[in-house]
C-alpha cells in the first residue's frame, strides 16, 4: 500500500510540475517577452537559443532540489556564471515590464512625474539586496 501511495504522489507531483511549467512557458510566449528582448538587444538570430535557454533553465532549476546536484567550480567561474544568470533574469524582467507597460501604468497611478529613473534603480537595488540576504545570511530563507 505504501508503494502505491508513493507512486500516486509522484504522478501528482510530476503532473502538477508539468502544468505549472507549461503555464509559465505559455505566459512568456503569449506576451512576447523573448522576441521583444531579442529586438531590443538586436539579437533576433538567437531567438531560438533564448527559448531553449528558458526551457532548459526551467527544467534544471526544477529538478535541482530533487537531485541535490553539486558541481565543483572555482570562484571565478561561479562569479561569471552568477553574473550571466543575473543579466539574463534582469533583462527578462525588464522586457516583461516593458511588454506589460508596468512602469508607465504605475507612474500614472501614483502620479510620479519626476525621478522615474531612481524609482527603477530602487526596484533593481531592492532585488539585489534581497538576493544578497538570501545567499549570504545563514538561515534567512528558513525564517
Amino acid at each position: 500500500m505504501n508503494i502505491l501511495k508513493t507512486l500516486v504522489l509522484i504522478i501528482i507531483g510530476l503532473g502538477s510540475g508539468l502544468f505549472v511549467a507549461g503555464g509559465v512557458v505559455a505566459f512568456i510566449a503569449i506576451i512576447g517577452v523573448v522576441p521583444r528582448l531579442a529586438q531590443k538587444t538586436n539579437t533576433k538570430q538567437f531567438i531560438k537559443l533564448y527559448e531553449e535557454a528558458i526551457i532548459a533553465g526551467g527544467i534544471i532549476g526544477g529538478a535541482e532540489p530533487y537531485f541535490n546536484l553539486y558541481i565543483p567550480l572555482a570562484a571565478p567561474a561561479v562569479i561569471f556564471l552568477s553574473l550571466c544568470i543575473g543579466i539574463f533574469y534582469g533583462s527578462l524582467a525588464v522586457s516583461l515590464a516593458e511588454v506589460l507597460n508596468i512602469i508607465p501604468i504605475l507612474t500614472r497611478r501614483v502620479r510620479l512625474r519626476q525621478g522615474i529613473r531612481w524609482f527603477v534603480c530602487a526596484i533593481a537595488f531592492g532585488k539585489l539586496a534581497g538576493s544578497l540576504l538570501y545567499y549570504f545570511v545563514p538561515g534567512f530563507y528558513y525564517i
Side-chain angles (χ1 to χ4, degrees):
M1 189 63 173
N2 196 15
I3 294 173
L4 183 61
K5 183 179 178 180
T6 303
L7 185 61
V8 168
L9 289 174
I10 289 171
I11 291 170
I12 290 172
L14 286 174
S16 300
L18 286 172
F19 279 116
V20 169
V24 169
V25 170
F27 175 70
I28 289 173
I30 287 172
I31 62 174
V33 171
V34 175
R36 185 72 174 151
L37 177 65
Q39 180 185 10
K40 282 292 190 182
T41 58
N42 294 325
T43 55
K44 291 181 184 176
Q45 67 271 21
F46 298 116
I47 287 180
K48 193 82 159 164
L49 182 64
Y50 289 152
E51 292 170 348
E52 290 173 0
I54 291 171
I55 292 169
I59 292 170
I60 293 169
E64 190 277 330
Y66 299 106
F67 297 112
N68 199 15
L69 299 174
Y70 175 74
I71 303 171
L73 296 173
V78 172
I79 291 170
F80 176 73
L81 287 175
S82 299
L83 184 64
C84 290
I85 292 167
I87 290 170
F88 178 75
Y89 280 136
S91 59
L92 192 65
V94 167
S95 64
L96 176 64
E98 184 178 325
V99 166
L100 296 177
N101 292 325
I102 289 174
I103 302 299
I105 292 170
L106 184 64
T107 55
R108 205 175 19 222
R109 294 260 169 112
V110 297
R111 295 184 179 98
L112 181 66
R113 301 285 182 237
Q114 296 176 341
I116 295 173
R117 181 181 312 165
W118 298 110
F119 179 72
V120 173
C121 287
I123 292 172
F125 287 125
K127 178 69 174 164
L128 174 67
S131 298
L132 291 175
L133 281 173
Y134 180 83
Y135 287 109
F136 291 121
V137 175
F140 179 76
Y141 45 87
Y142 291 117
I143 295 175

